[in-house]
Amino acid sequence: MSVSEKIREILAEQALLSPSDISADASLEDIGIDSMGVVEVIFAIEEAFSIEVPFNANDPQASAFDVSSVAAITAAVNQLIAEQKAAG
Amino acid sequence: MTRRVVITGQGAISALGATAKTTIDGMLEGRCAISALEFPNADRLSVGIGGQIKGYDPSEHFTRAELALFDPFTQFAVLSAREAVAQSGLAFDDALSLRSGVILGSAGGGLQTQDENYRLVYEEGKNRVHPFVVPRLMMNAGSSQLSMIFGLRGACYTIATACASSNHAMGQAFHAIRGGSADVMLTGGSDSMLCFGGLKAWEGLRVMSSDGCRPFCATRNGMVQGEGAAVFVFEELEHARARGADILAEVAGFSMTADAGDIVVPNQDGAARAISGALADGGLSAAQVGYVNAHGTATAVNDRTEVAALRAALGPAAEEVAVSSTKSMHGHIMGGTGAVELLSCIAAVKDGVLAPTVNYNTPDPECDLDIVANDARETFVKVAISNAFAFGGLNAVLALKRFA
């Protein structure tokens, strides 16, 4: 399963939707994931990809991790996987 | 004029049944619901029995989002509250929600959540836990979830006084309504500590029985743990009357005392003062008491101390009063036990039926009161009292009166 497919699966489970219902440009708000849900999604992403996601729930906008859309999350996760693999 | 407090709804879940009705029916059948414990690592416990709720599927009752936030102790409180509120027929409109609150007792809070997540980080070496571990495990999770579900915006808190938690909670709810600061309170208690870490801790004290709970019986050899909850709707009498509510019983008196003695050994004087105090608080006489739901843990020292305390508090009337401990059937539900046991006091004053102490086979000369042994009994009861005597020397006794 690709990174993008896995992320869709995580979001779909959180939003109680089918992965095919989640478009790349959708925001988490669009698919009904609230601020508590975002924190659960971050946890599931960290577990699925064995990465640390820099996300501060006090101020999501200021976090280095972009959660503005499904595509943005996918790009950010790909970058974190590459960085954290390089750092070993 | 003194405000009076009545009970207009009851809900529960225990090893005896998934509702208040099935729990009290199980008590009246004299059915022992203590069985082999089933959870990971139970085979490493030296005590392998408990009043565990079996055949329970949380996904039948809660959404995925709720389950992420509800430890079992919260689930049990919510299920009980749904049943109690439905029975009461109350609708919490804007005005009533401001005059309503929640006070629950719990001794362990989200202990299963703590146990499982400590296991993940220590045993499995995980470096992160689910984001909602803290809102799941906090002691006030159950009370807060009830306030959110029903929109109750008055006082809301959880009381932790070990085995007396729910009696203290119901006493505070009674005081809040009688004193005028609330008209309706959801109150009771909930606990779910049947997991490896929870029971391992109890094993250390060496007060648990590995073969059954036999309160007041000469062969008793310790307590047996249970789990569950009960929640009641306490309501100001005129409020209940004005809407034509069915009234189950009146909460007439409450008293709490401290032994200021030992952290685990019970004390006759502290217990007796709480019993006398509850009667005095309700303007009741010892002769009016027809039934005592005893703390009756089935430890050697609790039961004989409790019998002595009943004699000290009730005087000659102690020889006439019927006494039972329903822990013999559902186990010791810790911070929820007084709430589940209040069901038997309500049945006594409302329906004139007394739940028995089961597993009783040999009279103990040190516990020679009228123990309702093995089979339920029918008799008119005007006043019933419910005892709870906690570790830490904390005693809380409620007195219920038949509402007629």
Side-chain angles (χ1 to χ4, degrees):
Chain A
M1 188 180 290
S2 71
V3 169
S4 151
E5 284 168 344
K6 183 67 193 172
I7 288 172
R8 267 166 209 268
E9 185 184 278
I10 289 168
L11 293 172
E13 195 193 342
Q14 188 70 34
L16 303 177
L17 294 170
S18 157
S20 59
D21 295 337
I22 295 175
S23 66
D25 60 352
S27 72
L28 298 189
E29 201 178 354
D30 290 340
I31 58 173
I33 294 178
D34 63 9
S35 61
M36 290 279 272
V38 172
V39 179
E40 283 199 274
V41 165
I42 300 282
F43 169 71
I45 287 172
E46 289 184 320
E47 289 287 287
F49 301 109
S50 297
I51 55 173
E52 293 292 330
V53 174
F55 179 81
N56 185 341
N58 292 299
D59 191 357
Q61 270 71 44
S63 298
F65 190 75
D66 183 355
V67 294
S68 60
S69 70
V70 175
I73 292 171
T74 307
V77 168
N78 277 320
Q79 191 184 340
L80 287 170
I81 292 170
E83 283 171 8
Q84 293 180 16
K85 195 180 280 177
Chain B
M1 198 183 94
T2 309
R3 286 161 60 93
R4 292 166 65 187
V5 181
V6 293
I7 302 175
T8 55
Q10 60 183 15
I13 178 167
S14 72
L16 283 166
T19 61
K21 182 174 189 323
T22 51
T23 294
I24 190 68
D25 285 352
M27 288 183 190
L28 295 172
E29 288 162 16
R31 183 157 55 82
C32 178
I34 290 164
S35 63
L37 292 169
E38 293 170 4
F39 50 73
N41 294 307
D43 58 324
R44 288 176 55 206
L45 294 169
S46 61
V47 172
I49 57 170
Q52 187 175 11
I53 295 170
K54 296 192 173 162
Y56 168 72
D57 178 2
S59 68
E60 287 177 11
H61 308 285
F62 301 104
T63 65
R64 180 185 175 283
E66 287 172 326
L67 287 175
L69 284 161
F70 293 4
D71 180 272
F73 99 105
T74 297
Q75 296 172 30
F76 296 160
V78 172
L79 290 172
S80 300
R82 284 179 185 166
E83 184 186 3
V85 171
Q87 181 182 24
S88 76
L90 275 171
F92 293 98
D93 63 17
D94 200 51
L96 183 57
S97 84
L98 294 170
R99 298 278 303 159
S100 303
V102 187
I103 309 176
L104 297 183
S106 186
L111 190 120
Q112 291 208 32
T113 296
Q114 295 197 41
D115 191 56
E116 174 58 13
N117 285 282
Y118 283 138
R119 191 187 69 73
L120 288 174
V121 293
Y122 289 129
E123 184 181 291
E124 292 197 9
K126 304 263 288 185
N127 280 324
R128 68 175 73 86
V129 296
H130 189 275
F132 303 158
V133 170
V134 169
R136 270 178 74 102
L137 68 76
M138 60 192 193
M139 294 293 294
N140 59 311
S143 301
S144 292
Q145 294 293 350
L146 295 196
S147 122
M148 290 157 59
I149 290 166
F150 298 101
L152 312 181
R153 295 183 286 164
C156 174
Y157 56 100
T158 297
I159 293 181
T161 50
C163 314
S165 300
S166 51
N167 272 21
H168 275 113
M170 294 186 290
Q172 295 309 305
F174 168 54
H175 282 175
I177 297 172
R178 188 173 69 178
S181 65
D183 292 328
V184 173
M185 295 297 290
L186 298 189
T187 186
S190 176
D191 255 321
S192 180
M193 298 200 263
L194 300 183
C195 59
F196 182 68
L199 284 209
K200 219 31 170 176
W202 273 98
E203 278 183 7
L205 270 169
R206 295 167 193 271
V207 294
M208 294 203 298
S209 170
S210 54
D211 61 11
C213 178
R214 297 182 293 279
F216 305 113
C217 177
T219 67
R220 70 185 182 276
N221 61 358
M223 56 187 286
V224 173
Q225 301 271 335
E227 66 178 345
V231 172
F232 301 90
V233 176
F234 280 18
E235 186 170 358
E236 194 274 323
L237 173 60
E238 295 311 320
H239 190 276
R241 271 194 175 134
R243 64 187 190 86
D246 282 337
I247 291 170
L248 305 178
E250 177 170 2
V251 187
F254 173 64
S255 178
M256 47 192 164
T257 64
D259 297 340
D262 190 274
I263 195 71
V264 292
V265 179
N267 170 285
Q268 178 190 321
D269 174 66
R273 286 186 294 116
I275 296 165
S276 302
L279 297 179
D281 185 51
L284 305 165
S285 70
Q288 288 178 293
V289 180
Y291 172 65
V292 176
N293 183 288
H295 191 55
T297 58
T299 64
V301 64
N302 173 82
D303 294 4
R304 70 168 179 260
T305 305
E306 184 165 11
V307 167
L310 283 165
R311 283 208 163 96
L314 302 180
E319 311 309 321
E320 309 296 325
V321 74
V323 179
S324 74
S325 169
T326 55
K327 287 186 180 73
S328 53
M329 297 178 273
H330 51 68
H332 191 333
I333 306 175
M334 299 289 129
T337 211
V340 171
E341 292 169 30
L342 198 71
L343 293 170
S344 79
C345 290
I346 293 171
V349 297
K350 177 172 167 287
D351 301 323
V353 285
L354 307 185
T357 302
V358 303
N359 307 320
Y360 185 92
N361 56 49
T362 312
D364 176 356
E366 287 193 298
C367 300
D368 57 342
L369 294 180
D370 177 13
I371 307 296
V372 182
N374 299 319
D375 297 307
R377 188 188 294 177
E378 291 188 23
T379 184
F380 176 84
V381 171
K382 171 90 173 168
V383 172
I385 65 172
S386 183
N387 289 345
F389 309 134
F391 276 4
L394 310 183
N395 313 296
V397 176
L398 280 160
L400 295 192
K401 192 160 77 174
R402 180 179 171 81
F403 187 83

